[in-house]
Amino acid sequence: METKGGYLISRIKQAGTRIFDRMLAASGIDAFNGAQGRILYVLWQHEDISISSLSAKTSLANTTLTSMLDRMENSGLIVRKPDPADRRSRLIALTDKAKALQHDYDLVSQQMNERYYIGFTESEIRQFEAYLQRVLENLEKED
């Protein structure tokens, strides 16, 4: 049996990223892109975390994350500060600029979620997300 799940997921991610970036721009959010929004989303939930924790929560490799954090720091969205528990480690913290963007980002994110599920029943959404969760669990076993 020929399957296209990976291909379709990749296409959905690409199209979703383009649309989400346009929605952010239309809402006047130009301080960051959708990929950086994923980092900010985690930081809005768990501020002052290590790069390794942030990497695990965003599923971004440390090397990718480090370069993105450099750009975000240059844009005034995050700061790196010493970890009081470990002098060799740095924690990632949000600036007031980034904190002020959370509400608008959440609104755009909700609009994007609604767009994903146009024409779906609540039952179909739950079932679809359960399937996606299983696929993710299958992949994470190999990661």
Side-chain angles (χ1 to χ4, degrees), residues 109-124:
S109 184
Q110 181 58 40
Q111 291 169 358
M112 188 67 193
N113 283 336
E114 290 168 4
R115 184 169 290 192
Y116 276 119
Y117 295 118
I118 292 171
F120 283 71
T121 66
E122 192 173 315
S123 174
E124 288 171 329

Side-chain angles (χ1 to χ4, degrees), residues 72-141:
M72 293 172 73
E73 189 169 31
N74 290 336
S75 297
L77 295 170
I78 61 110
V79 292
R80 291 175 170 104
K81 60 187 196 179
D83 183 345
D86 181 355
R87 292 184 324 168
R88 298 165 300 173
S89 185
R90 309 283 286 167
L91 298 177
I92 308 303
L94 294 169
T95 63
D96 289 339
K97 177 181 178 179
K99 290 176 185 176
L101 296 170
Q102 182 177 4
H103 176 73
D104 290 341
Y105 178 87
D106 287 346
L107 290 176
V108 173
S109 184
Q110 181 58 40
Q111 291 169 358
M112 188 67 193
N113 283 336
E114 290 168 4
R115 184 169 290 192
Y116 276 119
Y117 295 118
I118 292 171
F120 283 71
T121 66
E122 192 173 315
S123 174
E124 288 171 329
I125 293 169
R126 278 195 304 275
Q127 185 177 22
F128 175 67
E129 289 190 352
Y131 290 145
L132 290 175
Q133 185 63 44
R134 283 175 50 195
V135 169
L136 180 59
E137 289 167 4
N138 289 341
L139 293 173
E140 287 179 338
K141 288 177 191 173

Side-chain angles (χ1 to χ4, degrees), residues 26-95:
S27 294
I29 301 173
D30 59 1
F32 60 90
N33 60 31
Q36 293 170 338
R38 183 166 49 162
I39 295 167
L40 289 173
Y41 178 80
V42 170
L43 290 171
W44 286 321
Q45 313 304 315
H46 310 278
E47 192 174 355
D48 294 353
I49 63 173
S50 67
I51 291 178
S52 59
S53 293
L54 188 56
S55 174
K57 291 180 186 311
T58 60
S59 299
L60 293 169
N62 277 356
T63 53
T64 302
L65 188 56
T66 299
S67 64
M68 291 177 77
L69 290 173
D70 288 343
R71 288 191 298 277
M72 293 172 73
E73 189 169 31
N74 290 336
S75 297
L77 295 170
I78 61 110
V79 292
R80 291 175 170 104
K81 60 187 196 179
D83 183 345
D86 181 355
R87 292 184 324 168
R88 298 165 300 173
S89 185
R90 309 283 286 167
L91 298 177
I92 308 303
L94 294 169
T95 63

Side-chain angles (χ1 to χ4, degrees), residues 20-32:
F20 192 64
D21 284 344
R22 283 197 307 263
M23 291 171 71
L24 286 172
S27 294
I29 301 173
D30 59 1
F32 60 90

